[in-house]
């Protein structure tokens, strides 16, 4: 039920910041954790904290770590949990590639609760999967919005020069005695420009 609620909330998140904040908040709530982090890889392949709960800003801002074995000890330090209190972390996978990590510092399970640990890992993995899908959707939406803005700008900037080309093609078509090959070319130019202007 909780996963369904999270999935619904992530579906309606409108920005990257909303997805990140919602994922971290829900992870902390699900595991009754004071600290939780969501890290994403940057252009150099280093993980950096993009959203957190209970982690000091200066500690969070300094965190840059490659995705390798040393990450576990750095996560322990970041979440303020000593080695005696394990953290729970799972990858965010998009398109078959690890693009980030979701980690929480839940209370330590008592002895004999190995099944509870497995359930907790499954639950955090399911949340990470939903977050990864929401992050990819948000990225695609932002790319589409950028493309539309860019096309609008380019279209506006091209309108005046294309109208001048259209007027020149029309003037050529009104000339008497122009050879058929040039007339055909002028018609093609005028039709192409008109179609482009009409589509925008």
């Amino acid at each position: 039920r909780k996963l369904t609620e999270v999935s619904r909330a992530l579906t309606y998140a409108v920005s990257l910041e909303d997805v990140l904040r919602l994922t971290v908040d829900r992870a902390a709530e699900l595991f009754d954790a004071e600290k939780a982090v969501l890290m994403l890889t940057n252009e150099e392949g280093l993980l950096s904290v993009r959203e957190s709960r209970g982690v000091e800003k200066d500690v969070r801002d300094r965190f840059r770590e490659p995705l390798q074995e040393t990450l576990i000890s750095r996560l322990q330090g970041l979440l303020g949990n000593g080695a005696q209190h394990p953290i729970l972390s799972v990858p965010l996978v998009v398109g078959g590639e690890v693009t980030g990590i979701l980690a929480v510092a839940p209370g330590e399970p008592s002895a004999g609760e190995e099944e509870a640990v497995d359930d907790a890992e499954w639950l955090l993995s399911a949340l990470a999967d939903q977050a990864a899908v929401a992050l990819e959707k948000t990225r695609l939406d932002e790319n589409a919005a950028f493309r539309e803005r860019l096309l609008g700008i380019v279209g506006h900037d091209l309108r005046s020069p294309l109208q001048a080309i259209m007027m020149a093609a029309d003037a050529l078509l009104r000339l008497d005695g122009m050879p058929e090959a040039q007339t055909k070319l002028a018609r093609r130019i005028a039709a192409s420009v008109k179609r482009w202007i009409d589509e925008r």
Side-chain angles (χ1 to χ4, degrees), residues 105-152:
E108 185 179 12
S110 57
E113 290 189 1
E114 193 168 311
E115 188 176 310
V117 171
D118 289 344
D119 288 347
E121 272 186 33
W122 179 88
L123 184 60
L124 191 62
S125 289
L127 177 58
D129 289 345
Q130 291 178 354
V133 169
L135 288 169
E136 183 64 7
K137 177 191 168 294
T138 302
R139 185 187 68 78
L140 292 172
D141 288 349
E142 288 175 355
N143 286 348
F146 174 75
R147 185 174 57 247
E148 287 301 315
R149 280 195 309 274
L150 181 62
L151 287 174

Side-chain angles (χ1 to χ4, degrees), residues 169 171-184 186-187:
L172 287 173
L173 288 171
R174 285 193 293 270
L175 288 177
D176 290 331
M178 193 164 71
E180 183 57 33
Q182 282 82 2
T183 302
K184 187 175 180 182
R187 275 194 208 107

Side-chain angles (χ1 to χ4, degrees), residues 11 23 39 66 70 72 86 118 148 152 161 171 180 192-193:
T11 300
T23 301
M39 296 172 281
T70 58
I72 299 299
D118 289 344
E148 287 301 315
E180 183 57 33
S192 294
V193 171

Side-chain angles (χ1 to χ4, degrees), residues 22-50:
L22 182 64
T23 301
V24 168
D25 287 347
R26 292 302 189 267
E29 290 166 12
L30 284 171
F31 294 95
D32 196 26
E34 290 183 19
K35 295 183 179 183
V37 294
L38 192 152
M39 296 172 281
L40 296 176
T41 53
N42 62 16
E43 301 80 35
E44 294 90 38
L46 296 176
L47 288 166
S48 61
V49 178
R50 293 295 304 273

